[in-house]
Amino acid sequence: MADDGRAKRLNMKSSQDGGVADVAELRARVAELESENAKLRLENLQQAGGIAALESEIGQLRRQAQRGGNHEVLPVVVSTSVDLSRLDTSIVTQISSFLGTARELLNLALTCKSFGWRQPVSTLNWSLVEDVARQTVCLRATDNEMGCLPRYGRGTATWLSILHRYEHLLMFDVLLGGFIQHRNGDKTAVCAKGEDYCDSVAVSGSNVMSSGAHYAEFLIKLGVRACIGIVRPMPGLNASAYQEMFFLFDKNLYPDFLAQRTDDWGNSDVHACEYDCDDGVMNRTKWDWENDEMDILWEGRECCESGDTVGMLLNLDEGTLTVYKNNRRLGVITDGLSGPYCWYVSLYKNQAVTGAVSIKRGALPDSDGATRA
């Protein structure tokens, strides 16, 4: 019986020793896992900090670009090849969206098939470039602008082509007078209608230019009975009240125009200025009864023909309006400009000739008249 008791005590001690060993092993494993977990947490925090720093830098560069900052100060980074599969797709998309223009995105697509080819993870089979172009258009374009853009359709219109169209989109969204209409429903083009010698005006009212340099091109079609220029924005003007002849140099309407004046018009008293495509003269007005300047034979004066393109460069840093014809600089038509302006076209019929003009945004020309790429 004594031997049996000793055997039981030995078995119990052996069992206790094994349990202690198991507990020690488990504790060691727990410590190891906790250490690994701590390392992963630290790594995640470092990655999150890097992403946050990257997003902050992107935001700063976006704001600098919007203010017209000097792009030459941006850092140039030389790097070895990067495995894009290790980067989150949303980060790559965000970085790509900073490129901003259709041409830059096209160049990106041409650099690497990973950017330009359709992504298998996308249910719509869009490439990275297509998705960035889509997001850019949807974020920037207003409802009116979207109505003037082609609709996306696989095989017919890509988002990259829609973005390119948006970048060059200007439209005549305000029609004043009863003798003008959009041509074939296209808001970027207008034509005269109705009676002969009855003026009406189309204004690009949603495109208000208050600072910097702006260049637009006007294609003349079906005759040259058109005047092209700039006018103060007048969003409170009731277009429906002017269904007869409308003329920005009509003295009877000057009180209506001046009632729209705001403080941001500034000190310039040039409220409308135009180039007459028919004979090349310049007209400008202060909207008073005595100081209109009409049929001015300015230096560089030339008339236009059907098929010509008239370029207008409004430089509000210098306060000048310069005229171009078929990418050739004619000269400065007026100076002393400040405050906000909009593009406009004034049209009228002359017997069988019906003027028509379309507008689009153009690249800023160099001093010699050649446009930049």
Side-chain angles (χ1 to χ4, degrees), residues 127-322:
S127 67
L128 173 69
V129 165
E130 275 287 272
D131 196 26
V132 171
R134 178 189 63 83
Q135 292 183 36
T136 302
V137 172
C138 293
L139 287 174
R140 296 180 183 175
T142 65
D143 291 341
N144 285 336
E145 289 171 336
M146 289 295 286
C148 294
L149 294 172
R151 294 184 178 276
Y152 170 80
R154 188 167 298 155
T156 57
T158 65
W159 279 109
L160 193 58
S161 67
I162 296 172
L163 174 59
H164 181 267
R165 175 66 173 147
Y166 167 74
E167 291 168 351
H168 296 82
L169 181 64
L170 285 173
M171 61 181 175
F172 297 115
D173 52 348
V174 179
L175 301 182
L176 298 166
F179 302 95
I180 196 168
Q181 64 185 1
H182 292 120
R183 189 172 181 224
N184 299 323
D186 181 2
K187 290 186 179 181
T188 67
V190 287
C191 60
K193 67 173 184 175
E195 300 178 18
D196 293 340
Y197 303 105
C198 289
D199 292 83
S200 287
V201 172
V203 183
S204 184
S206 60
N207 183 62
V208 178
M209 301 166 289
S210 301
S211 62
H214 307 266
Y215 187 71
E217 294 180 338
F218 301 82
L219 176 60
I220 301 171
K221 302 176 182 178
L222 305 177
V224 292
R225 309 303 178 187
C227 294
I228 299 169
I230 55 172
V231 65
R232 294 296 191 187
M234 297 182 285
L237 204 64
N238 184 6
S240 63
Y242 306 97
Q243 293 302 311
E244 300 299 326
M245 186 172 74
F246 186 93
F247 188 41
L248 287 170
F249 294 80
D250 184 347
K251 290 180 171 56
N252 295 320
L253 297 179
Y254 287 175
D256 293 0
F257 301 157
L258 291 175
Q260 300 295 314
R261 182 167 191 150
T262 59
D263 292 340
D264 60 357
W265 283 19
N267 297 323
S268 175
D269 55 7
V270 179
H271 300 322
C273 179
E274 65 183 21
Y275 163 73
D276 191 326
C277 299
D278 189 20
D279 53 15
V281 299
M282 181 269 287
N283 305 313
R284 63 186 175 190
T285 177
K286 301 176 182 179
W287 285 338
D288 61 31
W289 286 79
E290 299 177 354
N291 295 306
D292 287 347
E293 298 176 84
M294 306 296 293
D295 299 328
I296 303 300
L297 304 178
W298 58 286
E299 184 179 358
R301 166 185 173 244
E302 284 188 19
C303 62
C304 293
E305 298 178 354
S306 179
D308 285 340
T309 297
V310 176
M312 285 272 181
L313 174 60
L314 175 63
N315 190 331
L316 289 169
D317 296 330
E318 299 178 357
T320 58
L321 180 65
T322 306

Side-chain angles (χ1 to χ4, degrees), residues 6 33-35 94 98 127 132 177 184 224 233 272 300 303 321 333 362 364 371:
R6 188 175 65 177
L33 290 175
E34 287 179 345
S35 175
Q94 185 173 4
F98 186 66
S127 67
V132 171
N184 299 323
V224 292
C303 62
L321 180 65
I333 196 172
L364 292 177
T371 58

